[in-house]
Amino acid sequence: IMRSTTLVQQKYLFKNVIKSVGILFFCMGILFASVGGVLTYNLYQAERNLNHAIGTVELVNYNYVFVKYDLNGQEMRGVLNYYSSNFKEGQQIDILYDENDPYDLQTTESNFIYYIFVGAGILMATFGGGLISSENKREKIQKELLQNGRKVYATISGIGVDPSISNNYRHPFIIYCVYDDGDGQKEYVSGPIWDELNDSFIGKDIPLYLDQTNKDLYYVDIREYQRK
């Protein structure tokens, strides 16, 4: 049963899903940033220890790029340790080489890829950290409401689903309930519930915790309906 009336928005999201997504993004972000940072540092060290030269792309073959360059007046040929489909035959690029192994070539062209790793990692970690921080704040508010909020009993008016959350192609249920706080009846929405619910719950009472000073803050106590 879905409602078309204006609802007081639920303030508390299902912590396992939200926090798990946040932790996943945060860990992946740290991994991406770390890998990009290590690769960037290694290339920086290579730039300091290797020799620079201007090479010419001679052949681009599948995942290999063959480059020729001048080494003390002698034409040398080698293979880059980096491939990009943007390389074109005849293109001049900055290369790095070791005189003891002049056929194994590196290029500063790969810097851009490493920077993408670092940037993407920072963005993912920031997003994940934001989710974790937001969920921790929600849990704190919920805990304070359970301890200090005004407890009343609302009446369950409907059962719906939350399409914004999905787990294994399933959407969780949510409970709609109504309560008259003296200034007219309002409808409240619970957080997600993963166990099966049906219309047999309609008409039953459910605990509702209201903030003493802010009526927009509340918690529909769904603990007895949540998956253990």
Side-chain angles (χ1 to χ4, degrees), residues 16-137:
N16 290 342
V17 171
I18 301 300
K19 185 170 288 187
S20 294
V21 171
I23 292 173
L24 177 63
F25 268 85
F26 184 80
C27 292
M28 290 180 62
I30 294 298
L31 177 62
F32 270 63
S34 298
V35 170
V38 169
L39 293 175
T40 301
Y41 176 77
N42 289 341
L43 185 59
Y44 170 74
Q45 290 294 101
E47 289 183 14
R48 294 181 58 188
N49 300 325
L50 299 179
N51 299 300
H52 287 256
I54 299 298
T56 302
V57 176
E58 190 172 34
L59 178 65
V60 179
N61 185 18
Y62 296 103
N63 293 329
Y64 296 96
V65 179
F66 297 88
V67 177
K68 63 180 180 180
Y69 66 101
D70 181 79
L71 176 59
N72 300 324
Q74 181 180 359
E75 187 175 78
M76 305 292 295
R77 287 178 170 81
V79 180
L80 280 183
N81 67 341
Y82 170 74
Y83 170 82
S84 171
S85 59
N86 293 326
F87 284 132
K88 305 297 180 184
E89 294 180 9
Q91 177 183 349
Q92 289 190 327
I93 59 174
D94 185 25
I95 63 171
L96 305 170
Y97 69 92
D98 184 347
E99 289 187 359
N100 297 319
D101 186 10
Y103 306 104
D104 184 16
L105 307 178
Q106 300 186 43
T107 176
T108 56
E109 300 285 336
S110 59
N111 282 10
F112 179 70
I113 298 298
Y114 303 156
Y115 295 153
I116 289 179
F117 264 79
V118 174
I122 292 175
L123 289 176
M124 293 170 67
T126 302
F127 176 72
L131 287 180
I132 295 171
S133 176
S134 176
E135 184 57 25
N136 286 339
K137 182 179 179 180

Side-chain angles (χ1 to χ4, degrees), residues 154-158 175-179 186-189 206 208 220:
T155 302
I156 296 177
S157 59
I175 290 177
Y176 297 90
C177 59
V178 293
Y179 175 72
K186 291 184 179 179
E187 190 167 41
Y188 299 84
V189 187
I206 187 169
L208 173 67
V220 179

Side-chain angles (χ1 to χ4, degrees), residues 210-227:
L210 301 173
D211 187 85
Q212 301 283 8
T213 58
N214 185 353
K215 293 183 179 181
D216 288 334
L217 285 178
Y218 68 90
Y219 174 64
V220 179
D221 192 355
I222 57 174
R223 289 175 292 180
E224 65 179 276
Y225 301 100
Q226 287 179 315
R227 178 181 295 172

